[in-house]
Amino acid sequence: MAFFYDEAAHTFNEYLLVPGYSSAECVPSSVNLTVPLVKHPLHGQPSLTLNIPMVSAIMQSVSNDTMAIALAREGGLSFIYSSQSVARQAEMIANAKDYKAGFVVSDSNVSPEDMLTKVLELKEEKGHSTLPVTHDGTPHGTLLGIVTSRDYRPSRTPLDAKVSEFMTPRKKLVVAPKTTTLSEANDIIWDHKLNVLPIVDENDCLVYLVFRKDYASHKANPLENLDAEKRYIVGAGINTHDFEERTGPLLAAGADVLCIDSSEGFTEYQSNTLAYVKKEFGPEIKVGAGNVVDRAGFRFLADAGADFIKVGIGGGSICITREQKGIGRGQATSIIEVADERNRYAKETGIYIPICSDGGIVYDHHMTLALAMGADFMMLGRYFARFDESPTAKVTINGNYMKEYWGEGSARARNWQRYHSGSSNKLSFEEGVDSYVPYAGPLKDNVALTLAKMRSTMCNCGALSIPEFQEKAQLTLISSTSIVEGGAHDVMLKDQVGALPPTFR
């Protein structure tokens, strides 16, 4: 006979935090959100950390190089999606690593033979007014000069004028060698009153640009997630079918951490993938695995060598696994059980394996609840898909701006590797939908608001770090009527009054 759990599985929406004592020192600005990304000795330091407990999902509609740069700048991490060619995924990783912090690979370049029309077209397309001039018009060609808006006037300079006729030539430029640090580059910019400083190699080929305006940006992002070379940390997804061909190029491109992207983690496929990567590339290569929803699943992946473990099946906003297959578990219950097993494992072995809550996050406070229940960080899809930095198109639906968002289990993604469990290279049925989410603007502003709520809640519970929060948090299940009571009720909201017929106003 089948095994039956004694209690129903619960979601985040069924819980609330009970406030605890807060000292005068408990202020949001003092809260530290640093968490471990990979396993480490229980009382030791992890080799990789997150400065905020947020990573973006391994999805076509969420995580590309643009998202990776933006999220790492805020202290998080992106796992660039694997449902694309190996070459294209490796290129995205390299783009994110090459960006560094304050060092920009120019995406708007011209050659001396190009005309003013090309300059104006690039300015319109990219929004940049500073264009390096290289011998072949590529980002890393020999630097011959630079064009800024001060070098021409569209109303007076002929549109067919060659760039060589109006550019600021190389001999008049202040440049710096590629060994220059960001601090040194900023000093040069200020000493010479520059707006941009080209960084060149030993052959005088352009490598990076450093902008004056980015100095303030760098100072405004103290939580940037950087590696030892001051480059942004970036992750990459792999699957359990072409990992032998994919892993090497991704690591060569600079991926700092890998994550197996699969609909279900309690499988021989996952243990084989982990074993291969560790054997072929070394135990120092960090690989996350999942997804699981119970103790047994956690133990299996822990014993298989996973460096972090993702928790959650069927809880994503675009996931229909539960209704299609009847498989899954309430996300809150899954996190609570797996976190408890993680702690048992740590006491037994002396090794702490972080767990990632993947799916089931609808509101900002759900993230705080996930952390209180034991998650070290969250993997988010819908949340990040709404922002400017996600790779999808912004469209207008019924007068409202929306962003496209689709699941990896949808026909649009064609990601058969994630759900494949047989010999045919196709999706037998969909486990994800194609949808829209409300456009929310830039990532930075939204993440700042979410983290402000998180820090405030932690202070309400008397905690200044996530480990302290998990130790002090008190959680209570709530009734359906409590959920109603928790929102605005028994009042007429002002923005709804205009929708009423005149006789009811």
Side-chain angles (χ1 to χ4, degrees):
M1 182 178 176
F3 174 81
F4 289 87
Y5 285 89
D6 293 333
E7 296 182 2
H10 298 287
T11 66
F12 293 131
N13 229 32
E14 297 174 76
Y15 284 91
L16 285 176
L17 282 156
V18 177
Y21 170 73
S22 299
S23 70
E25 296 176 349
C26 276
V27 293
S29 60
S30 298
V31 173
N32 182 352
L33 296 177
T34 302
V35 292
L37 175 61
V38 296
K39 68 182 178 184
H40 57 91
L42 184 57
H43 300 295
Q45 295 298 315
S47 59
L48 290 172
T49 59
L50 297 169
N51 293 327
I52 63 172
M54 304 167 75
V55 302
S56 64
I58 312 169
M59 300 175 69
Q60 295 173 8
S61 55
V62 178
S63 296
N64 63 352
D65 44 355
T66 304
M67 178 62 71
I69 292 168
L71 185 50
R73 183 181 291 133
E74 300 306 314
L77 175 81
S78 286
F79 286 94
I80 293 177
Y81 67 93
S82 57
S83 52
Q84 59 179 322
S85 71
V86 175
R88 181 58 182 142
Q89 187 182 13
E91 181 184 1
M92 287 186 179
I93 293 167
N95 288 344
K97 298 303 291 187
D98 286 345
Y99 188 88
K100 298 183 81 171
F103 291 85
V104 180
V105 176
S106 176
D107 63 354
S108 303
N109 309 280
V110 292
S111 74
E113 298 302 309
D114 286 326
M115 295 184 292
L116 177 59
T117 51
K118 175 71 174 293
V119 172
L120 297 177
E121 288 171 1
L122 283 173
K123 183 178 180 181
E124 176 68 22
E125 177 187 353
K126 302 290 187 178
H128 305 319
S129 58
T130 300
L131 284 70
V133 182
T134 58
H135 79 285
D136 56 0
T138 65
H140 301 299
T142 303
L143 183 64
L144 300 179
I146 202 164
V147 172
T148 72
S149 57
R150 293 178 298 179
D151 292 315
Y152 62 88
R153 292 179 63 182
S155 61
R156 300 185 62 176
T157 307
L159 293 177
D160 60 355
K162 290 185 177 181
V163 168
S164 58
E165 298 174 14
F166 57 84
M167 71 180 186
T168 300
R170 167 68 177 83
K171 63 183 180 182
K172 292 186 178 182
L173 298 179
V174 176
V175 302
K178 67 178 182 180
T179 55
T180 305
T181 66
L182 184 59
S183 177
E184 292 169 341
N186 283 318
D187 287 342
I188 295 171
I189 286 173
W190 286 99
D191 290 343
H192 293 271
K193 300 181 180 180
L194 306 174
N195 287 322
V196 62
L197 175 68
I199 306 295
V200 298
D201 64 15
E202 59 276 7
N203 298 314
D204 213 36
C205 291
L206 180 65
V207 182
Y208 303 114
L209 298 176
V210 180
F211 291 91
R212 173 188 287 263
K213 62 181 177 61
D214 285 344
Y215 176 80
S217 174
H218 181 63
K219 290 297 182 182
N221 296 290
L223 297 179
E224 288 178 316
N225 202 0
L226 307 175
D227 65 15
E229 299 177 37
K230 304 298 183 182
R231 302 177 301 175
Y232 286 136
I233 298 289
V234 61
I238 58 175
N239 61 63
T240 57
H241 295 278
D242 70 357
F243 57 89
E244 293 184 6
E245 295 78 29
R246 191 172 291 269
T247 302
L250 301 187
L251 293 175
D256 298 283
V257 57
L258 305 175
C259 183
I260 302 173
D261 183 32
S262 178
S263 60
E264 206 270 303
F266 200 169
T267 71
E268 186 177 353
Y269 291 114
Q270 295 242 340
S271 60
N272 289 343
T273 303
L274 287 165
Y276 171 84
V277 174
K278 299 290 185 177
K279 179 181 178 181
E280 294 297 320
F281 300 97
E284 69 277 6
I285 301 302
K286 306 304 179 185
V287 189
N291 289 23
V292 298
V293 294
D294 63 1
R295 298 180 187 277
F298 173 87
R299 282 279 174 168
F300 173 78
L301 291 178
D303 292 340
D307 290 288
F308 67 84
I309 294 173
K310 290 201 299 168
V311 181
I313 294 177
S317 60
I318 40 70
C319 183
I320 54 174
T321 293
R322 295 182 190 176
E323 66 180 64
Q324 290 282 58
K325 297 169 63 175
I327 287 176
R329 199 179 192 191
Q331 187 67 4
T333 298
S334 299
I335 291 294
I336 292 168
E337 180 173 315
V338 173
D340 183 61
E341 191 64 20
R342 184 265 320 279
N343 295 341
R344 289 172 184 257
Y345 183 89
K347 290 180 180 179
E348 293 172 13
T349 66
I351 300 297
Y352 184 92
I353 303 178
I355 61 173
C356 168
S357 179
D358 181 16
I361 301 290
V362 180
Y363 305 109
D364 286 352
H365 76 271
H366 288 174
M367 298 186 205
T368 314
L369 287 169
L371 294 173
M373 291 170 183
D376 294 279
F377 55 97
M378 290 76 60
M379 178 171 280
L380 306 163
R382 183 197 63 85
Y383 178 84
F384 287 116
R386 303 172 301 142
F387 303 151
D388 288 324
E389 292 81 1
S390 74
T392 63
K394 183 171 71 172
V395 297
T396 303
I397 304 294
N398 297 327
N400 298 309
Y401 282 121
M402 311 289 284
K403 292 273 282 186
E404 294 180 308
Y405 179 47
W406 60 92
E408 291 297 300
S410 66
R412 180 171 182 174
R414 299 184 181 277
N415 188 4
W416 67 268
Q417 295 97 331
R418 191 179 199 273
Y419 298 87
H420 174 60
S421 59
S423 58
S424 60
N425 296 351
K426 65 179 183 179
L427 285 170
S428 300
F429 53 88
E430 290 184 285
E431 293 187 46
V433 298
D434 197 344
S435 65
Y436 298 103
V437 290
Y439 168 67
L443 177 146
K444 182 178 181 62
D445 294 345
N446 286 276
V447 167
L449 178 59
T450 297
L451 296 179
K453 297 176 184 178
M454 190 179 295
R455 291 187 176 102
S456 179
T457 301
M458 289 172 62
C459 286
N460 291 148
C461 297
L464 293 176
S465 70
I466 290 175
E468 184 183 14
F469 181 45
Q470 292 170 344
E471 181 180 334
K472 291 184 175 180
Q474 301 177 83
L475 291 150
T476 180
L477 273 169
I478 59 176
S479 67
S480 57
T481 51
S482 294
I483 296 174
V484 175
E485 182 185 60
H489 60 90
D490 300 314
V491 294
M492 175 61 68
L493 300 180
K494 288 185 176 181
D495 59 2
Q496 295 175 347
V497 173
L500 290 174
T503 54
F504 288 93
R505 293 181 188 174

